[in-house]
Amino acid sequence: ELLVLPLVVLLSLMAQPRLQWALAKDGLLFPVFGEIDDNGNLYKGALYAGIVMTITATLVPFSYLDDVAASAQLLVFCITNASVVKLRYHQGQYIERTLLAFNILSMLSGVTATHYWNATAGKVLFAMITLALIMCLVIIARSPARINPLDHQYYEAPLNPFLPCLGMYVNWYLIAQLDMISIVLLVLFLAVTSAFYYFYGRKHTFKAQSRCPAEFVASLQEGMDLWDE
């Protein structure tokens, strides 16, 4: 771990400025992260990201950072599974809200089973959450699906939505194995990033500003051309 972890951090630092640049071009981050200097480098983006990472690594114990990083990876798998389900069904926001409820209930179920199972109230709460999870799964499974192969949005996967929902539940159960401080840090991270997206990102994206997707692609290509030079 002492040999591999520094390499992972170094690779993350190398890729982080370009990721921030793409997000800034779409309006999900502040424009300063999309600025390219005369040499084709993302100097400001790398500087600001490095400062934030340094302060975080200084103030937060490594054990908690390690747990949050691992749980964030499992969270990415949950988002992937949820996307597989959403692509299959018609009702956009209805399915999204049901999937959100399923993920929140899965997290609560895992935390209850791991940390509060010995208490009678914990067992009762676990049973109630399980019933709510089954209800969410039934609602998703009975929603109108895209079944016409000629539909350009047609999508099919084995045992959908049961297998992706099982994957989401297992991922949240694994996250619940962490100690409560790490879980609280993960929840705080999700709250901060969600609030930033809600109050800033979604109002400045190309879609929110009714800008042409081709313009977004052109701006990305312009930046890549600067790097090539």
Side-chain angles (χ1 to χ4, degrees), residues 96-177:
E96 289 175 2
R97 291 168 182 169
T98 307
L99 286 170
L100 177 62
F102 184 89
N103 277 275
I104 294 175
L105 290 170
S106 296
M107 179 184 69
L108 294 176
S109 176
V111 171
T112 303
T114 303
H115 299 278
Y116 303 103
W117 184 255
N118 293 330
T120 303
K123 293 183 175 67
V124 174
L125 181 60
F126 179 81
M128 295 173 60
I129 294 174
T130 301
L131 290 175
L133 282 169
I134 295 174
M135 290 178 59
C136 289
L137 185 58
V138 171
I139 291 172
I140 295 173
R142 293 178 61 87
S143 299
R146 296 188 176 95
I147 58 176
N148 183 7
L150 299 179
D151 185 355
H152 72 283
Q153 293 183 324
Y154 174 76
Y155 183 84
E156 189 172 359
L159 298 177
N160 193 356
F162 304 104
L163 191 58
C165 287
L166 176 61
M168 286 185 281
Y169 183 86
V170 170
N171 287 330
W172 282 114
Y173 181 79
L174 292 175
I175 292 174
Q177 305 307 304

Side-chain angles (χ1 to χ4, degrees), residues 40 44 75 82 124 162 178 184 190 207 215:
K44 292 183 179 179
L75 178 62
V124 174
F162 304 104
L178 303 175
V184 170
L190 291 175
K207 182 178 180 181
E215 184 182 349

Side-chain angles (χ1 to χ4, degrees), residues 49-117:
I51 291 174
V52 172
M53 290 182 181
T54 301
I55 294 175
T56 303
T58 302
L59 299 179
V60 181
F62 174 76
S63 59
Y64 298 145
L65 287 176
D66 191 30
D67 290 342
V68 172
S71 58
Q73 188 61 53
L74 292 171
L75 178 62
V76 171
F77 295 151
C78 289
I79 295 174
T80 302
N81 285 319
S83 300
V84 170
V85 176
K86 185 178 181 300
L87 284 172
R88 177 65 172 160
Y89 295 94
H90 283 294
Q91 301 174 348
Q93 291 188 350
Y94 181 76
I95 289 295
E96 289 175 2
R97 291 168 182 169
T98 307
L99 286 170
L100 177 62
F102 184 89
N103 277 275
I104 294 175
L105 290 170
S106 296
M107 179 184 69
L108 294 176
S109 176
V111 171
T112 303
T114 303
H115 299 278
Y116 303 103
W117 184 255

